[in-house]
Amino acid sequence: MYSTDFKQALADGRTTPDDEWAIVPCQYGWEYNKSDVPYDTIASELDWVCEKDNLAATAQAIFFCGAIVGGLVFGWIADKYGRIPALVGTNLLGFTAGVGTAFCDSFLTFALCRFLVGLAFDNCFTMMYILVLEYVGPKWRTFVANMSIALFFTLAASLLPWIALWADDWRMFAMGTSLPFALAIATPWLVPESARWLVSQGKIDKALTIMKKFERINKTKIPEKVLSDFTESSLKTIKESEAECRTYSVLDLFKTPRLRRNAILLIVIWMAISLVFDGHVRNVGSLGLDIFLTFTIASATELPADTFLTAVLDRWGRRWLACGSMVISGIFSLLATAVPVGGPSASLAILGRFAVNISYNIGLQYAAELLPTVVRAQGVALIHIMGYVASIVAPFVVYLANISPDLPLLILGVLGIVGGMLCLFLPETMDTEMPQTLQDGENFGLDQRFWDNPCFPRKKQEALEESPEKYTKRPSVSTTEPQAFVRAVPSAIGSRASIRASIRASTRASARRRDVNTGRNVV
């Protein structure tokens, strides 16, 4: 506070302070403006103002540091010990640290709890997301991946600000949003382990047991020929690979050129999406409207965005839709800077949020579909970690509104357009089986061209001239490796033709499988 005679200053007609006045520590405490947020926060309780006003941002940065560590740890656990242990662990950690947050009474305890919550952040649902995608076939991946988010995420996010208002206390809010995580303790009895992961670890009997359970639940029948061929080829492959004792790590994504390029592109694009998405979420306070109402409306855009995505993603494909939605988000963000602050700018910014919601959910599904099973959880975790790194920058981007209200939206607009254009350099994953091995990932999309668009498919003869091996006769099913099963079984529930197509795709991959492991050009 300024140290001066304010009565004299007012008598002299001063309405602004003099920069030459001496500054001293505040002597009488603080009164907080509660017109926007009508309840106390930890920042107001512990007086994180003046020389302590950086502590809130520091706690947020520590939270994202925890997310970076958690992505690495739980991604490794998911690929090493299974999707279920990682899923249960991350949810229970979120429950413990979230409840602990409500009892914090200092910056150090709060920062520690935020770091631990950060460890669980995102992993608590991405592990389930990966597990589900590894079970459903290409026909249902888009529906399952997007409608689950559309219904549950939208409902919860839209209710969140009103739950906070109802609780009227940040500690009760922390407790209420953390307690549901405890339900994850029932996961091992309700959710089956990924059959794809079990096969990749050589646990054939467990995978068969799970698929038999699915037979009973779905009231269908997996052909005995598929099961017997799968068991025979799986056991043979396990014996051949026992000497290798290969353990995969996320570094395997960067050992071959095409897989490395795709991984780097996914990282850069996801960083752009995360920064634009988080920037729009945080920027609601700069749009000139009520924070709680604006947050609800912006969150509600998730439902139409995901519904639209479910309807068109398997018709228009991932590449062009991801590109278009990000570019449109960037354009709306830029347009928001050209209209008056308030209703017009908020409307355009919410439209930008709607478009980036589409990009965000495509990005979640795209990474899971493009990365090989043996490193999928670690790879998706790494991509999300880099997204957290970008999210650390988001508060500072939004802070630029103190310099100019247009700066945040200008930056988000440019990032959206640039990130969207980069999507075109990824291969299309629509109507394809997810890669199982590293070599599958390296060969993925070899028959595609830059301008390929699912809305305008090439003729078969033209594709045959460019990639004749794709249409040549393949060996019989008895030569396939274990991944044939995890591709064939979901399709077996659909049609026999799908089984044959999956087996042929697996055979092509198995014929080249040792290329990555031995470094030899074996075909």
Side-chain angles (χ1 to χ4, degrees):
M1 60 182 292
Y2 290 105
S3 177
T4 189
D5 186 346
F6 284 99
K7 291 184 178 180
Q8 184 60 45
L10 292 173
D12 294 341
R14 294 198 64 93
T15 56
T16 58
D18 188 337
D19 291 339
E20 295 183 357
W21 287 348
I23 296 177
V24 297
C26 295
Q27 301 173 7
Y28 309 110
W30 297 267
E31 290 184 12
Y32 292 96
N33 183 353
K34 296 184 179 180
S35 58
D36 290 333
V37 180
Y39 52 82
D40 287 328
T41 66
I42 189 170
S44 62
E45 280 191 8
L46 301 182
D47 293 327
W48 291 351
V49 292
C50 295
E51 68 275 7
K52 297 180 181 179
D53 64 355
N54 66 316
L55 294 183
T58 302
Q60 185 68 11
I62 291 172
F63 170 85
F64 283 112
C65 289
I68 292 172
V69 177
L72 290 172
V73 172
F74 286 107
W76 176 80
I77 290 174
D79 282 336
K80 180 69 174 178
Y81 298 104
R83 293 8 179 176
I84 298 301
L87 180 63
V88 174
T90 187
N91 276 272
L92 292 183
L93 179 61
F95 159 73
T96 304
V99 171
T101 299
F103 297 94
C104 293
D105 57 3
S106 69
F107 173 75
L108 288 178
T109 56
F110 183 76
L112 175 61
C113 285
R114 297 314 293 166
F115 179 84
L116 295 176
V117 172
L119 285 172
F121 175 67
D122 227 18
N123 297 298
C124 58
F125 94 91
T126 53
M127 293 305 161
M128 189 69 184
Y129 188 91
I130 291 171
L131 192 152
V132 171
L133 285 189
E134 288 182 339
Y135 266 117
V136 298
K139 180 180 178 182
W140 293 103
R141 280 205 303 257
T142 296
F143 178 84
V144 171
N146 291 285
M147 290 311 297
S148 57
I149 295 176
L151 296 175
F152 298 105
F153 178 86
T154 304
L155 177 62
S158 299
L159 289 175
L160 204 58
W162 311 108
I163 294 173
L165 282 174
W166 174 78
D168 198 33
D169 180 87
W170 73 269
R171 297 179 188 273
M172 291 297 297
F173 181 65
M175 291 278 288
T177 54
S178 301
L179 288 174
F181 283 106
L183 296 174
I185 198 169
T187 300
W189 292 276
L190 299 176
V191 182
E193 182 58 88
S194 167
R196 283 182 181 268
W197 178 82
L198 288 170
V199 169
S200 72
Q201 301 297 307
K203 300 178 181 180
I204 314 303
D205 292 339
K206 290 185 178 180
L208 283 173
T209 300
I210 290 174
M211 301 318 297
K212 287 290 186 181
K213 180 179 180 181
F214 283 180
E215 278 188 321
R216 296 193 300 271
I217 295 174
N218 294 340
K219 297 180 180 179
T220 187
K221 182 68 177 176
I222 302 172
E224 290 298 329
K225 181 79 165 69
V226 172
L227 295 177
S228 61
D229 287 339
F230 157 73
T231 303
E232 180 182 346
S233 59
S234 297
L235 293 173
K236 180 180 178 181
T237 304
I238 291 170
K239 290 180 180 178
E240 292 176 352
S241 60
E242 279 180 348
E244 296 181 12
C245 297
R246 180 70 189 276
T247 299
Y248 296 97
S249 76
V250 72
L251 297 178
D252 288 310
L253 286 172
F254 303 94
K255 290 183 178 179
T256 52
R258 297 192 75 256
L259 194 55
R260 177 170 59 245
R261 186 200 68 173
N262 291 341
I264 292 173
L265 280 171
L266 285 170
I267 288 171
V268 174
I269 292 168
W270 186 252
M271 289 181 73
I273 291 175
S274 297
L275 181 52
V276 174
F277 182 88
D278 201 48
H280 274 291
V281 172
R282 294 175 183 278
N283 199 48
V284 293
S286 304
L287 300 179
L289 298 177
D290 177 75
I291 293 176
F292 294 89
L293 179 61
T294 307
F295 186 94
T296 301
I297 295 174
S299 298
T301 62
E302 190 78 40
L303 179 59
D306 290 344
T307 305
F308 168 78
L309 202 58
T310 303
V312 303
L313 190 58
D314 284 339
R315 291 188 175 94
W316 298 355
R318 281 63 163 156
R319 291 171 67 240
W320 289 97
L321 194 56
C323 170
S325 58
M326 281 206 73
V327 170
I328 290 173
S329 172
I331 291 173
F332 277 127
S333 298
L334 294 177
L335 289 176
T337 65
V339 298
V341 175
S345 64
S347 299
L348 288 170
I350 288 173
L351 288 174
R353 167 73 184 272
F354 169 80
V356 81
N357 282 345
I358 296 175
S359 307
Y360 194 92
N361 291 320
I362 294 175
L364 285 173
Q365 186 171 340
Y366 215 157
E369 290 179 340
L370 199 52
L371 300 181
T373 298
V374 291
V375 289
R376 181 170 294 126
Q378 294 180 74
V380 171
L382 174 64
I383 291 168
H384 279 244
I385 284 168
M386 299 311 296
Y388 306 148
V389 173
S391 296
I392 293 175
V393 181
F396 300 99
V397 172
V398 175
Y399 180 78
L400 293 175
N402 294 323
I403 300 174
S404 170
D406 294 338
L407 277 178
L409 290 173
L410 284 171
I411 294 173
L412 298 179
V414 172
L415 283 173
I417 293 173
V418 173
M421 299 307 296
L422 288 176
C423 294
L424 295 179
F425 293 92
L426 289 170
E428 180 58 64
T429 60
M430 189 182 85
D431 290 335
T432 62
E433 292 291 344
M434 295 190 295
Q436 179 80 357
T437 66
L438 293 175
Q439 193 63 43
D440 288 345
E442 176 66 15
N443 294 336
F444 193 91
L446 280 174
D447 59 331
Q448 299 181 20
R449 295 189 307 186
F450 182 82
W451 295 110
D452 280 354
N453 190 316
C455 297
F456 307 99
R458 284 186 288 161
K459 294 180 180 179
K460 182 176 180 179
Q461 181 61 35
E462 182 182 351
L464 177 61
E465 293 174 359
E466 293 189 4
S467 184
E469 70 279 1
K470 183 178 178 181
Y471 299 93
T472 56
K473 188 176 181 180
R474 299 297 170 190
S476 64
V477 68
S478 61
T479 63
T480 60
E481 296 203 323
Q483 61 264 36
F485 175 73
V486 293
R487 290 171 174 163
V489 167
S491 302
I493 299 174
S495 68
R496 294 180 183 272
S498 297
I499 298 174
R500 292 194 294 271
S502 296
I503 290 174
R504 287 197 297 271
S506 298
T507 305
R508 291 198 297 273
S510 64
R512 297 183 175 88
R513 184 174 184 181
R514 289 189 177 274
D515 287 8
V516 174
N517 296 336
T518 66
R520 298 172 185 169
N521 188 20
V522 179
V523 179

